[in-house]
Amino acid sequence: MPINCAFYLSRGADIYYTGEQISGSLTVTVDGKKHFQLEGVGITLHGVSSVHWRESLHGPPEIEHNDSTGILENAKVDYKGTKVHISQTKKLTSGLRLQPGIFQLGDFKFQLPENLPATCSLPFGKVQYMLKAVFERRGKHNKCFQQRLVIRKSLEFSDLKPQITETSNISLTLSRSVFVPGQNVSYETNPKDGSSKLLTRLCKKISYTCQKPSAKTKTVVQVLSESLDLISNLRLPLTAPIMSHPDLLEPIQISYYIETLNYLDPPLKLPIFVVTAAPLMYSPMESSRLCFVNMALSQSDLMKPINQDLTQSLSPEIGSLALTKHCERIKLLKGPRRKKSYVQIALRYFYKKVGP
């Protein structure tokens, strides 16, 4: 007896910010000629972080058998860790007998906490959220249906946070250290010994923390941009994920920093803060003054194609925000233009002549 379930959310794109409310309804379709008996239907909002990587153990390689001719490798250990951020369940209905057809099972609402990490998919871990509907049946396996969600981090700073650090040989200055993805990071370096051979880099640092088989942290640093100029800008990618909250320890911690090296002294480092919204700053060095996060872009590869999300975002809730003066106009990607058929031309002519 085929049965299917559809999630209808209150907004077109399945993108939500922390602190917002997720609301919608469930609709079930029963095919065939027989009724479908249910003990109850519940819906759960579930969010979890998971990390996983493998490392080789020190020591001689393992030998499977004496006549082995394959290439022997060192034994490897799997490091894993998970953390559940939210798991809320609501009962939609109790015992129910569904006849063939389409039925609406009820509405649901979930409130997202402010301190949730954002959805992301990284080489050694991910953060994912989903709605899960469970159809309970007596004496049979339950039927489950899932709807993936993208949760974005809402993190704002009202202070520009200018910073400076120096040694006896060089200094590094940032006129601001609060940015959103896509902005230029302006810096200024000063070699006090007269040497101009300085390398300045914009780096992203991701730390993965596991619990099994023992507590361990794996740190990966990626250079996003670099320059040999003493005064310049480093581009922060538009797809850069929002930083993790500095006061919350999560299995996946994302941070950013600027460092300057002269290959003689230890590098100078200054943290930068990649957030949802940053205050405006009018400066000759700033080429991007608008500070915003594109609601249509996702931080993970779990999202659908960009054009599909943008067309869905024309719902009353999303569309009103997407067209405000603080957001850039987003132009949809278009395919090759096709010639209009004679039927279309005739219908348009008829509408202009006869229509109101």
Side-chain angles (χ1 to χ4, degrees):
M1 179 187 315
I3 182 173
N4 193 18
C5 176
F7 296 78
Y8 290 95
L9 300 176
S10 59
R11 60 176 56 174
D14 307 333
I15 308 174
Y16 294 86
Y17 270 75
T18 54
E20 290 187 331
Q21 186 181 79
I22 299 176
S23 60
S25 61
L26 279 183
T27 299
V28 62
T29 302
V30 179
D31 298 327
K33 298 182 180 180
K34 297 182 179 180
H35 68 272
F36 193 85
Q37 186 69 37
L38 294 176
E39 293 297 313
V41 179
I43 185 169
T44 300
L45 172 62
H46 188 72
V48 62
S49 290
S50 59
V51 297
H52 176 222
W53 72 89
R54 303 187 71 190
E55 292 185 9
S56 298
L57 291 175
H58 298 290
E62 290 186 345
I63 301 177
E64 296 183 358
H65 46 79
N66 293 334
D67 58 348
S68 174
T69 58
I71 300 176
L72 300 180
E73 296 182 355
N74 290 330
K76 294 185 177 181
V77 59
D78 285 297
Y79 291 94
K80 298 181 180 180
T82 59
K83 179 180 180 180
V84 176
H85 303 289
I86 185 172
S87 184
Q88 299 178 4
T89 302
K90 296 188 178 181
K91 195 81 170 181
L92 293 182
T93 180
S94 53
L96 188 63
R97 182 175 180 177
L98 298 177
Q99 300 296 332
I102 301 176
F103 303 91
Q104 184 171 346
L105 295 181
D107 300 330
F108 58 84
K109 290 183 180 179
F110 292 101
Q111 183 66 37
L112 293 174
E114 295 283 353
N115 58 352
L116 290 177
T119 300
C120 64
S121 181
L122 302 168
F124 302 105
K126 59 185 177 180
V127 181
Q128 56 183 353
Y129 297 87
M130 66 181 62
L131 291 171
K132 183 178 181 180
V134 178
F135 291 72
E136 302 172 2
R137 300 188 296 171
R138 178 180 297 179
K140 297 181 180 180
H141 293 292
N142 295 336
K143 281 189 172 292
C144 301
F145 301 88
Q146 295 181 351
Q147 169 70 43
R148 291 183 296 180
L149 301 173
V150 172
I151 306 301
R152 305 202 65 175
K153 185 70 177 178
S154 180
L155 187 61
E156 301 181 9
F157 285 176
S158 58
D159 183 11
L160 290 170
K161 297 181 179 296
Q163 297 190 78
I164 182 173
T165 182
E166 58 184 348
T167 64
S168 58
N169 294 328
I170 56 177
S171 66
L172 171 63
T173 304
L174 298 178
S175 57
R176 63 182 296 174
S177 56
V178 180
F179 302 90
V180 298
Q183 284 190 309
N184 283 330
V185 179
S186 302
Y187 71 89
E188 180 177 353
T189 57
N190 180 23
K192 300 179 181 179
D193 57 357
S195 173
S196 59
K197 295 181 180 180
L198 296 179
L199 175 64
T200 303
R201 306 191 300 190
L202 168 60
C203 300
K204 176 177 67 175
K205 177 182 175 182
I206 303 180
S207 297
Y208 306 90
T209 302
C210 71
Q211 298 90 24
K212 297 179 180 179
S214 60
K216 189 172 184 177
T217 299
K218 180 183 183 68
T219 301
V220 178
V221 176
Q222 179 184 3
V223 177
L224 303 178
S225 181
E226 61 183 19
S227 175
L228 294 172
D229 298 330
L230 298 181
I231 301 176
S232 185
N233 298 317
L234 298 176
R235 171 66 68 177
L236 188 64
L238 184 62
T239 56
I242 303 300
M243 61 176 286
S244 303
H245 198 288
D247 298 332
L248 300 176
L249 296 179
E250 302 290 351
I252 301 176
Q253 291 288 123
I254 303 174
S255 60
Y256 298 84
Y257 62 88
I258 295 284
E259 68 174 2
T260 298
L261 309 92
N262 65 351
Y263 302 104
L264 296 176
D265 302 318
L268 286 180
K269 294 184 180 182
L270 284 176
I272 66 170
F273 307 94
V274 180
V275 296
T276 309
L280 296 176
M281 178 180 180
Y282 297 93
S283 167
M285 297 181 61
E286 291 283 347
S287 60
S288 176
R289 295 180 179 179
L290 287 178
C291 303
F292 66 95
V293 169
N294 191 340
M295 288 285 289
L297 292 179
S298 168
Q299 301 179 52
S300 73
D301 58 0
L302 300 178
M303 285 301 298
K304 294 166 289 208
I306 182 69
N307 276 357
Q308 184 175 349
D309 284 334
L310 292 176
T311 53
Q312 289 181 345
S313 66
L314 297 179
S315 61
E317 186 174 356
I318 296 292
S320 59
L321 178 60
L323 297 180
T324 57
K325 63 180 180 180
H326 299 292
C327 297
E328 286 185 339
R329 184 177 299 275
I330 304 173
K331 186 176 182 181
L332 294 178
L333 299 176
K334 297 182 179 179
R337 299 185 63 180
R338 298 179 180 178
K339 294 182 179 180
K340 297 180 180 178
S341 66
Y342 291 110
V343 176
Q344 290 177 317
I345 297 175
L347 290 175
R348 177 165 295 183
Y349 177 81
F350 179 78
Y351 178 81
K352 289 182 178 180
K353 292 297 182 181
V354 181

